[in-house]
Amino acid sequence: MRGMSIGELAGASGVRTDTVRYYERIGLLAMAARTEAGYRSYGSEDLARLRFIRRAKSLGFSLEDIRRLLDLQGNDASTAGDVLALTRQRIEVLQNQIADLAAIEAALANLARDCPPDAPASDCPILAHLAGLHRFKMGVPRSPIMSRKD
Amino acid sequence: MRGMSIGELAGASGVRTDTVRYYERIGLLAMAARTEAGYRSYGSEDLARLRFIRRAKSLGFSLEDIRRLLDLQGNDASTAGDVLALTRQRIEVLQNQIADLAAIEAALANLARDCPPDAPASDCPILAHLAGLHRFKMGVPRSPIMSRKD
DNA sequence: CTTGACCTTGCACCCGGCTCCAAGGTGCAA
DNA sequence: TTGCACCTTGGAGCCGGGTGCAAGGTCAAG
């Protein structure tokens, strides 16, 4: 596949032409070779690089991380340990994100569990929680009628 | 707390003054009352509203969702079920996000597990995966020297 | 009266990762 | 030759959620 146009490259790699140009602009792809007419011209190694980017993106790596990974790939002095370090960092971030989201989800699920759908919003424990009224955990206050002397 | 300044409100609610003005601009807070000099002046209900926003934000609600929650809170016709619906939506999004991140994390952990840190990057299974070379699952190719006639 | 901390406004800018547009040039088929 | 699809460039706009800044007004302490 010598001399693909940007459209062919984009089609073959599953990104848009604008995105290819964007990647070139930010230095993620090298400046493309040009035809006489000034059209960008790509070879199979460009396609491989774009596919690499797409796969890395699907694993949640940022373009900045991907740039580093590509540097490691192209640098004879780098080791698998270097790649592993980036990967471990990414895993750690993921674990933290998952933990944060799971904590939020648990909190919401907890609130949702005790929410009586047919009650007026003013009795909604979710709104109560958001309003900062976690004092009354829940349930009917025992004999509110009796608690005159509070 | 009648007639707090924007700075006092911000201090008491844990957001910045700029953010308070921003919330006013996007309609999340009502236009504040003004002093004769044109300074914004807040009461305790504004503080409560800002704290509501902060708590909802910490549960990952978007400002748009928060606006809806506040509308529900202020609307006598709304029910706890309305709040619950928003909450369930949010929970569903969270569960999807968690599942996506967990899948990525598992994939990365899987790749990281088999990565020999001291090998050159060219032998890194992570890079190999990103390059799309999942053909050779791993291990030494059996007798590469013998495979002359492939 | 001055200093300094606060307040006002409007507007621009940031992050990441694109996406779209207009105005013009090129390549190929009917 | 005409038409259409593709290519080029520079630049702007989008998303959400703010942040920063400059030029000016206000207020309280010393």
Side-chain angles (χ1 to χ4, degrees):
Chain A
M1 247 323 197
R2 282 282 125 201
M4 310 164 68
S5 70
I6 193 171
E8 288 168 331
L9 178 70
S13 62
V15 306
R16 302 188 166 212
T17 56
D18 279 344
T19 304
V20 175
R21 289 192 202 98
Y22 169 69
Y23 287 169
E24 180 180 311
R25 217 166 60 234
I26 66 171
L28 200 53
L29 297 178
M31 302 282 290
R34 298 297 180 122
T35 67
E36 292 165 24
Y39 284 20
R40 286 175 181 79
S41 177
Y42 297 96
S44 54
E45 66 291 348
D46 299 300
L47 179 54
R49 196 170 167 98
L50 251 184
R51 285 186 167 150
F52 183 106
I53 293 170
R54 225 168 58 89
R55 285 197 191 88
K57 236 164 52 76
S58 77
L59 288 176
F61 285 104
S62 67
L63 297 188
E64 190 49 44
D65 280 345
I66 295 173
R67 187 203 312 273
R68 291 194 197 108
L69 287 170
L70 285 164
D71 285 353
L72 291 176
Q73 192 193 34
N75 178 349
D76 286 7
S78 59
T79 69
D82 298 333
V83 180
L84 195 52
L86 269 174
T87 304
R88 290 227 171 96
Q89 261 183 41
R90 179 83 197 111
I91 289 174
E92 206 187 316
V93 169
L94 283 167
Q95 286 172 342
N96 290 335
Q97 287 176 345
I98 291 170
D100 290 351
L101 295 182
I104 291 174
E105 195 227 314
L108 286 179
N110 214 12
L111 287 167
R113 186 171 37 73
D114 298 323
C115 182
D118 296 328
S122 51
D123 290 351
C124 174
I126 302 173
L127 288 182
H129 175 87
L130 292 174
L133 310 170
H134 16 211
R135 293 168 238 311
F136 322 103
K137 272 286 186 266
M138 72 168 6
V140 178
R142 55 271 203 250
S143 303
I145 296 171
M146 303 302 281
S147 61
R148 261 163 296 191
K149 285 211 148 166
D150 284 9
Chain B
M1 251 317 198
R2 279 284 125 199
M4 309 164 70
S5 71
I6 192 171
E8 288 167 329
L9 178 71
S13 62
V15 306
R16 303 186 168 215
T17 56
D18 280 345
T19 304
V20 174
R21 283 189 279 257
Y22 171 68
Y23 287 168
E24 179 179 312
R25 215 165 65 233
I26 65 172
L28 201 53
L29 296 178
M31 303 282 291
R34 299 297 181 125
T35 67
E36 290 164 27
Y39 283 20
R40 285 173 183 79
S41 176
Y42 296 96
S44 54
E45 67 290 350
D46 298 301
L47 179 54
R49 195 169 167 100
L50 252 185
R51 286 186 167 151
F52 184 106
I53 293 170
R54 225 168 57 90
R55 287 198 189 88
K57 235 163 55 74
S58 78
L59 288 177
F61 285 104
S62 69
L63 297 187
E64 191 49 45
D65 280 345
I66 294 173
R67 188 204 312 274
R68 291 196 197 105
L69 288 170
L70 285 164
D71 285 352
L72 291 176
Q73 193 194 32
N75 178 349
D76 286 7
S78 60
T79 69
D82 298 332
V83 179
L84 194 53
L86 269 174
T87 304
R88 290 228 170 96
Q89 261 183 41
R90 178 82 198 114
I91 289 174
E92 206 188 315
V93 169
L94 283 167
Q95 285 172 341
N96 290 336
Q97 287 177 345
I98 291 170
D100 291 350
L101 294 182
I104 291 174
E105 195 228 312
L108 286 179
N110 214 14
L111 288 167
R113 187 171 36 74
D114 299 323
C115 183
D118 296 328
S122 51
D123 290 352
C124 173
I126 302 172
L127 288 182
H129 175 87
L130 292 173
L133 309 172
H134 15 214
R135 292 166 238 313
F136 322 104
K137 272 286 187 269
M138 76 168 4
V140 178
R142 52 286 197 236
S143 303
I145 296 170
M146 303 303 281
S147 62
R148 261 164 293 191
K149 285 210 147 167
D150 286 6

